[in-house]
Amino acid sequence: NISLYRRLSSGGRVLAGLADADTIFALSSGHGRCGVAVVRISGSAAATALRCMVGLGNQLPPPRTALLRSITDPHSKEVLDRGLVLWFPAPHSFTGEDSVEFHIHGGPAVITAVLQALGSVPGMRPADAGEFTRRAFHAGKLDLTEVEGLGDLIHAETEAQRRQALRQMSGELGRLYQDWSHRLKRTLAHVEAFIDFSEDELIEEGVLDQVDISVCDLQAEIKQHLKDERRGERLRSGIHVVIAGATNAGKSQRPAAIVSPIAGTTRDVVESALDIGGFPVLLSDTAGLRDSPDLVEQEGVRRARERVQQADLTLLVVDSTILPSGEQEAAALLLEHLRSVLSSQDQPGAGRCLLVLNKVDLLPEAHREKLNLGLRRVSGLPPVCLISCQTNEGLKDFLTVLQSNIKTMCGDPLSGAPTLTQARHRAHLQQCVAALAQYRRYRDSDLALAAEGVRLALTSLGRITGRVGAEEILDIIFKDFCIGK
């Protein structure tokens, strides 16, 4: 808490001029009791803080070398802890500034004492949220895509999220956009040169033809990049899987929802975050779909249908005991049920669906086998899984099919070209494509307007990496970082 740090550093008062101090400090590791806590310092007064709190005199330790030292209060000279100190002189640090790290014991009293001591050093103040990373961005250590990759890595909860975030943090996505920006700069320079000097016959023939080819190629590459089916965004935020079906089909099987033999027990959407095969899943259990005079249940059904429309994948659960014995009749009933639940093939949730036939333990063995084989041969049906939530029969095969679908929707974050991970990337790239279309539209009638299209395309790309006009989006990106980052 920044205000707490400032009170601690001033004995309960906010020091005059504290907000103007250019050296920042913060607890950079997680809060709570732990074996080791890392306190980070960055700015021109970092060396001063290191000398006065570690007792090094005028000397500084060798760069990037851990030393075991007593850490003392600069005024009372009381020993606060004994830990490791590291010195990172500018520009070879995360922020590009002089930086220091104290690796201390992770007890709350130790951390509080060290932060309070740092606050008493002239020229120092507690860091704002994301300020270390913001300084790294301004120093050119990271572009905005790398900053976002770092944020995603900190918040990654599954293996696939970690891989995608690490790849983006390494700069691969940023390098792709920088390459496009470099090509656009060259294209824009050629167009403007043609506008300014073509009448003086100082421009080689065929310059605009080369520009046309470059614009066409770039537009095609960006369009192809946008055709990713939102794999990166889904992986970053989690696949939205919705369990839907009629009342008492056996959808709710966990204590998170009240379940009973009485139809219509679940009346709201119950969500659970899962890790399935290393991929993040947000599982939504919904109210049973049926017509009801109960106003509360009607609202639950409305919310259920809304979630199905928004879903990346719908698990349509059907009570297998209501299906006819003939495969064609059973298939016809299931297709009718699909149309009822998914409402329209134009809905987002209509694209991917798994049919889950529950309660197969109540079916005769012969009927079960006939359904299993017969429904697989029916065209137009999504994949069918026969399970029993009561006996766990078929659950292993169902999870295999589910994981395969999720993996297909997310893709392998380590293979192929880097994918979009942020909605803002997509918006700026769409603006870039539209601007390049402006060039092609005005190329023969008004070359100045055509050149403006290239300039707008370049600006849109620059806003992704933060190289052009990024100030208006910086606060949005950095506000999600913890104080110590």
Side-chain angles (χ1 to χ4, degrees), residues 33 128 212 231 244 268 292 346 402 408 422 431 445 457 477:
R33 291 179 176 83
D128 293 326
D212 293 344
R231 288 192 298 270
D268 205 347
S292 171
D346 296 329
L402 176 60
T408 300
Q422 302 269 348
Q431 292 168 5
S445 60
I477 292 171

Side-chain angles (χ1 to χ4, degrees), residues 181-313:
S181 293
H182 177 74
R183 290 160 61 184
L184 275 177
K185 287 176 186 176
R186 185 179 180 86
T187 297
L188 181 60
H190 287 173
V191 176
E192 292 185 336
F194 186 88
I195 292 172
D196 292 338
F197 304 114
S198 60
E199 294 182 358
D200 300 330
E201 299 183 352
L202 298 175
I203 300 297
E204 298 178 2
E205 291 185 6
V207 167
L208 279 188
D209 293 336
Q210 290 299 318
V211 168
D212 293 344
I213 294 172
S214 179
V215 168
C216 186
D217 288 347
L218 274 169
Q219 195 173 28
E221 289 178 35
I222 297 172
K223 284 183 177 179
Q224 186 62 37
H225 185 59
L226 286 167
K227 292 178 181 178
D228 64 344
E229 297 182 345
R230 294 180 53 248
R231 288 192 298 270
E233 292 170 72
R234 281 173 172 155
L235 180 53
R236 179 176 179 268
S237 59
I239 297 287
H240 189 184
V241 178
V242 172
I243 304 174
T247 54
N248 272 11
K251 304 184 303 302
S252 304
Q253 296 292 328
R254 299 181 58 226
I258 300 172
V259 295
S260 81
I262 303 172
T265 305
T266 303
R267 298 191 173 194
D268 205 347
V269 177
V270 181
E271 293 185 340
S272 300
L274 303 176
D275 179 342
I276 297 180
F279 294 91
V281 170
L282 181 63
L283 186 67
S284 298
D285 181 19
T286 60
L289 302 176
R290 67 168 182 173
D291 295 327
S292 171
D294 188 309
L295 293 178
V296 177
E297 189 175 352
Q298 287 177 15
E299 175 62 18
V301 171
R302 186 196 67 79
R303 294 185 184 188
R305 293 193 181 279
E306 184 178 64
R307 287 302 178 96
V308 168
Q309 293 174 12
Q310 298 168 350
D312 296 311
L313 178 64

Side-chain angles (χ1 to χ4, degrees), residues 161-180:
Q161 285 178 319
R162 179 193 66 79
R163 289 173 177 170
Q164 176 171 274
L166 198 59
R167 187 180 186 187
Q168 184 170 330
M169 196 184 75
S170 70
E172 193 169 347
L173 190 63
R175 284 191 293 272
L176 174 64
Y177 297 152
Q178 287 292 348
D179 174 66
W180 288 344

Side-chain angles (χ1 to χ4, degrees), residues 410-476:
C410 290
D412 184 350
L414 296 182
S415 67
T419 57
L420 295 165
T421 61
Q422 302 269 348
R424 77 173 193 90
H425 298 174
R426 187 174 302 278
H428 290 314
L429 288 173
Q430 290 169 340
Q431 292 168 5
C432 181
V433 169
L436 292 176
Q438 175 179 322
Y439 168 84
R440 300 177 69 180
R441 184 165 62 252
Y442 291 105
R443 193 269 197 196
D444 295 325
S445 60
D446 192 329
L447 202 55
L449 280 177
E452 183 62 20
V454 179
R455 187 177 293 106
L456 290 173
L458 182 60
T459 300
S460 296
L461 276 179
R463 286 189 174 128
I464 299 177
T465 59
R467 302 303 183 195
V468 179
E471 285 299 321
E472 67 272 17
I473 57 175
L474 291 184
D475 289 336
I476 299 173

